[in-house]
Amino acid sequence: MAGLATTLGSGAMTNSIRDACMTDVLLVTGSNTTEAHPVIALEMKAAVRKRGTKLILVDPREIELAKFATMHLRHRPGTDTAVFNAMAKVILDEGLENKAFVEARTENLEAYRESLATYTPEWAEEVSGVPAEQIRAAARLYAQAKSAAIFWAMGITQSTHGVDNVFSLSNLALVAGQLGRPGTGLNPLRGQNNVQGACDMGGLPNVYSGYQAVTDKAVQEKFATAWGADGLPTTAGLTVTEIMDGALSGKIHALYIMGENPLLTDPNLHHVREAIGKLDLLVVQDIFLNETAEHAHVVLPGATFAEKDGTFTNTERRVQLLHAAVPALGKAQPDWKIVCQLGDRLARALSIAAKPASNPVVRTVTDWGYASPAEVWTEIAALTPSMAGISHARLEKGGLQWPCPNAEHPGTPILHTAQVARGRGRFMPITYRGAKEQVDEEFPLILSTGRILFQWHGGTMSRRSAGLETLAPAAEIEVNPLDAKRFGLDDAGMVEVASRRGKIRAKARVTRRSPEGIVFATFHYAEAAANLLTLDAVDPVAKIPEYKVSAVNIRPVRAKRAASRE
Ligand SMILES: Nc1nc2c(c(=O)[nH]1)N[C@H]1C(S)=C(S)[C@@H](COP(=O)(O)OP(=O)(O)OC[C@H]3O[C@@H](n4cnc5c(=O)[nH]c(N)nc54)[C@H](O)[C@@H]3O)O[C@H]1N2
Ligand SMILES: Nc1nc2c(c(=O)[nH]1)N[C@H]1C(S)=C(S)[C@@H](COP(=O)(O)OP(=O)(O)OC[C@H]3O[C@@H](n4cnc5c(=O)[nH]c(N)nc54)[C@H](O)[C@@H]3O)O[C@H]1N2
Ligand SMILES: [Mo]
């Protein structure tokens, strides 16, 4: 997301779900939409079936969307910028760029054009395995469409060059002028419920709500004055991956984890276990006692989505109101209430002093007595220009898409309509870099990890559902038939997959979904935790781990051993 954040304003969909799907051309890459965003996939399928929308799918695996695709570019994992740079080169070489758009709304074209000199489709074919003619055809289709929208998800971002990948996509949209109109845009599909809202509210190490930078002097003063606070941070904090490294090196002594399960979902689990083990204090606030909570000194029981009021913001920047449907069980409390009680006790324990409040609707750092989520929102609106026009009262009538700067503003379904938010969209020359870990004799296969429809992340929630467990009861490793033959594996037989960091056992599923040389595992099953295998290399800017490319080997496990594990 960070790539978009720098070029275009923020990490969010530029368009809305329906308008972006109802387009002439859809370019979907690194998104297994039918499994991970099934409702949005319905819109895509409807567009293809009813509207004649052409779908360009760029994905190594033969996912369900391939059935709907006009063309499927099956590149080797981690070679995205090779494909997208080559597509841009074709567009410029053939004069298919949107000249009026490029002229009026972008900058740095010439440096970008030069940077593409060696990225011919033939070169890209060698690197990515996608035929040069397919790259040309995709480039022409995307650039010549009246409207074309790009969608992506974790196949693009979970990479040691995830930011480059996103830049290469935003370059494509800029060169073709597929931005700022219905049916166009750069559309990252956000993952968990309310990950968009959490980021919008400053749940990131470098920004306050509405992406106001902690390093910006004016922003620092604004929040210091509003909260009556001294000593607010002036530098960005640590990312999740840096925090784990910090725990390991003794720089971080205490962790307060809310609604995450790093002991299954962070990369290189041996490393995470060691890091968590070194903490002096681990506090976990969750709705279930997950694998991470088992190591906690204190567990704070949170209420679930169905038991609380507040807002969730969906992937199209739409803030939506939530009302409790059932009372919370036991001693569970809504997360915001737990945080406020903690804030109150901390302020007293540390004898923090606040200057008097300067804004009647904003509470100071020592005053945590919010009566309701609506009151919390009033403070958010007062301090966040892009949310200033949103209130719980307005949300009662329906969701609103930010930016929504005042009470009369209808919200913003499409970003960058009059001009690109930062002024001009900047072309970012991108140098192709391969994945961190390459295959070799000892580890000859690439492991790709991801999701299936019937399970959710570490399974803390979904594996408690009897119905879902019936549908997807056990971990499977997808293996191409040619690899199955090469390594002596049978369909449904037990296999051991090993990387430089660890090994797991699961059932093989022999399928053409996985291309030759690539095996796929989900990270849903604690008993076959894929993150024992993954590496903790991260993107230098976004610090997101390379979950999609690890080098592994695979071997059959003798039937007797397999039976004892089942
Ligand atoms: N059922 C279900 N739905 C979910 C979730 C869940 O756990 N279960 N999780 C939610 C969350 S938090 C998220 S972030 C989203 C994630 O949604 P997705 O990103 O769609 O999910 P993944 O399974 O990670 O799939 C990534 C896709 O990238 C492809 N891919 C692999 N390597 C590469 C590569 O190098 N380049 C490209 N371009 N593509 C590649 C894979 O083949 C796959 O199709 O799903 C959300 N929805
Ligand atoms: N190998 C591999 N690893 C991955 C990925 C991958 O593609 N491959 N994807 C990564 C991605 S994109 C993501 S988003 C992460 C997901 O990683 P996590 O967020 O760690 O995974 P979850 O299992 O969804 O954990 C969420 C926790 O929140 C709790 N919870 C649910 N609702 C509430 C609530 O209202 N309040 C509180 N306090 N807790 C609640 C659940 O019980 C659960 O324990 O995994 C990452 N890890
Ligand atoms: Mo995610």
Side-chain angles (χ1 to χ4, degrees):
M1 295 318 113
L4 250 194
T6 343
T7 40
L8 296 167
S10 69
M13 283 177 70
T14 60
N15 286 55
S16 302
I17 295 160
R18 182 150 291 162
D19 92 62
C21 287
M22 286 293 147
T23 182
D24 295 335
V25 169
L26 278 168
L27 193 166
V28 178
T29 183
S31 159
N32 188 357
T33 328
T34 59
E35 308 233 14
H37 295 91
V39 178
I40 295 175
L42 290 177
E43 298 277 337
M44 292 178 176
K45 290 180 185 174
V48 170
R49 284 210 188 104
K50 297 187 186 145
R51 197 181 185 282
T53 295
K54 297 210 162 63
L55 169 63
I56 304 170
L57 181 65
V58 185
D59 198 295
R61 297 167 57 233
E62 197 168 305
I63 53 175
E64 192 195 336
L65 271 189
K67 284 192 225 140
F68 295 79
T70 305
M71 52 182 91
H72 181 187
L73 281 59
R74 289 186 85 174
H75 61 317
R76 291 191 192 103
T79 63
D80 297 270
T81 59
V83 174
F84 298 128
N85 275 356
M87 279 176 68
K89 181 167 172 57
V90 171
I91 293 171
L92 284 166
D93 284 355
E94 299 188 0
L96 302 177
E97 73 272 27
N98 183 332
K99 294 186 182 71
F101 183 96
V102 169
E103 172 92 1
R105 305 229 207 155
T106 70
E107 63 188 26
N108 208 30
L109 176 69
E110 286 319 310
Y112 177 55
R113 192 197 298 276
E114 273 168 40
S115 76
L116 296 173
T118 57
Y119 295 126
T120 62
E122 282 69 23
W123 170 86
E125 174 172 344
E126 218 158 276
V127 172
S128 69
V130 180
E133 269 323 299
Q134 243 186 12
I135 294 176
R136 287 201 172 85
R140 290 173 192 142
L141 188 56
Y142 175 73
Q144 290 176 317
K146 258 212 298 250
S147 62
I150 301 178
F151 283 85
W152 75 86
M154 293 303 118
I156 285 294
T157 49
Q158 285 174 345
S159 157
T160 46
H161 45 265
V163 169
D164 287 356
N165 290 348
V166 173
F167 276 140
S168 71
L169 290 172
S170 76
N171 288 336
L172 261 189
L174 290 176
V175 82
Q178 300 288 15
L179 195 68
R181 290 173 282 120
T184 67
L186 290 158
N187 301 293
L189 295 174
R190 303 307 302 264
Q192 323 205 35
N193 179 30
N194 216 32
V195 62
Q196 183 71 51
C199 293
D200 295 349
M201 289 305 116
L204 293 166
N206 58 341
V207 290
Y208 290 102
S209 54
Y211 306 95
Q212 302 176 80
V214 298
T215 49
D216 181 324
K217 269 237 144 56
V219 170
Q220 290 164 10
E221 266 162 38
K222 167 177 151 178
F223 281 92
T225 309
W227 290 339
D230 281 325
L232 291 182
T234 54
T235 53
L238 301 178
T239 61
V240 174
T241 41
E242 289 168 336
I243 289 169
M244 284 304 166
D245 290 342
L248 204 57
S249 69
K251 195 169 146 192
I252 303 281
H253 300 278
L255 253 184
Y256 175 17
I257 299 179
M258 227 182 289
E260 282 214 19
N261 189 11
L263 277 172
L264 270 190
T265 58
D266 274 10
N268 191 0
L269 291 180
H270 289 305
H271 167 91
V272 182
R273 276 182 199 156
E274 203 186 330
I276 295 264
K278 290 219 163 148
L279 293 167
D280 297 334
L281 175 66
L282 175 63
V283 181
V284 168
Q285 182 170 320
D286 208 283
I287 60 172
F288 292 117
L289 201 71
N290 64 24
E291 285 73 9
T292 309
E294 284 169 17
H295 295 257
H297 300 96
V298 183
V299 176
L300 302 168
T304 69
F305 72 97
E307 301 164 330
K308 58 193 173 193
D309 298 321
T311 58
F312 286 146
T313 304
N314 76 3
T315 191
E316 59 175 14
R317 294 171 280 105
R318 186 182 300 278
V319 186
Q320 295 172 299
L321 200 57
L322 180 76
H323 289 304
V326 288
L329 292 177
K331 290 183 178 165
Q333 296 189 32
D335 292 298
W336 72 270
K337 259 196 188 161
I338 302 175
V339 171
C340 286
Q341 290 168 68
L342 216 62
D344 181 55
R345 284 174 173 75
L346 275 173
R348 278 190 278 143
L350 300 173
S351 309
I352 290 175
K355 295 181 194 114
S358 57
N359 182 329
V361 301
V362 176
R363 288 176 186 270
T364 66
V365 270
T366 53
D367 176 7
W368 293 83
Y370 301 93
S372 64
E375 216 185 290
V376 176
W377 187 276
T378 306
E379 177 170 321
I380 292 164
L383 295 175
T384 316
S386 58
M387 314 273 170
I390 302 178
S391 62
H392 277 214
R394 273 190 87 184
L395 292 176
E396 289 285 0
K397 296 182 214 107
L400 284 166
Q401 286 169 285
W402 63 258
C404 179
N406 59 61
E408 287 72 46
H409 196 282
T412 310
I414 305 181
L415 300 178
H416 318 297
T417 47
Q419 61 166 36
V420 173
R422 72 180 286 278
R424 278 173 177 267
R426 186 171 177 83
F427 286 106
M428 303 294 289
I430 296 303
T431 307
Y432 169 74
R433 295 183 284 134
K436 176 88 181 177
E437 203 171 55
Q438 300 287 332
V439 294
D440 56 21
E441 246 168 61
E442 197 184 346
F443 299 103
L445 296 166
I446 291 177
L447 169 75
S448 176
T449 64
R451 297 154 170 84
I452 54 169
L453 178 64
F454 296 123
Q455 295 289 356
W456 188 268
H457 300 160
T460 311
M461 295 179 288
S462 56
R463 295 200 75 193
R464 283 183 162 79
S465 155
L468 295 176
E469 276 294 279
T470 308
L471 289 161
E476 291 181 332
I477 311 286
E478 293 182 4
V479 188
N480 182 276
L482 294 170
D483 291 322
K485 208 167 149 207
R486 182 173 160 205
F487 295 97
L489 317 174
D490 299 322
D491 190 36
M494 280 306 264
V495 294
E496 185 173 276
V497 186
S499 76
R500 287 191 175 80
R501 292 150 295 276
K503 51 189 170 193
I504 61 169
R505 283 177 180 193
K507 253 185 199 161
R509 167 173 291 231
V510 178
T511 164
R512 277 179 224 292
R513 245 167 105 89
S514 263
E516 190 185 358
I518 295 164
V519 297
F520 172 80
T522 74
F523 59 112
H524 301 316
Y525 299 88
E527 65 276 24
N531 281 321
L532 287 167
L533 306 173
T534 52
L535 73 166
D536 47 348
V538 298
D539 180 277
V541 179
K543 311 287 181 186
I544 190 167
E546 185 135 83
Y547 286 122
K548 299 295 187 240
V549 183
S550 321
V552 298
N553 60 38
I554 191 164
R555 65 173 184 91
V557 176
R558 274 178 296 124
K560 220 172 114 206
R561 301 263 313 268
S564 71
R565 278 189 67 86
E566 275 177 328

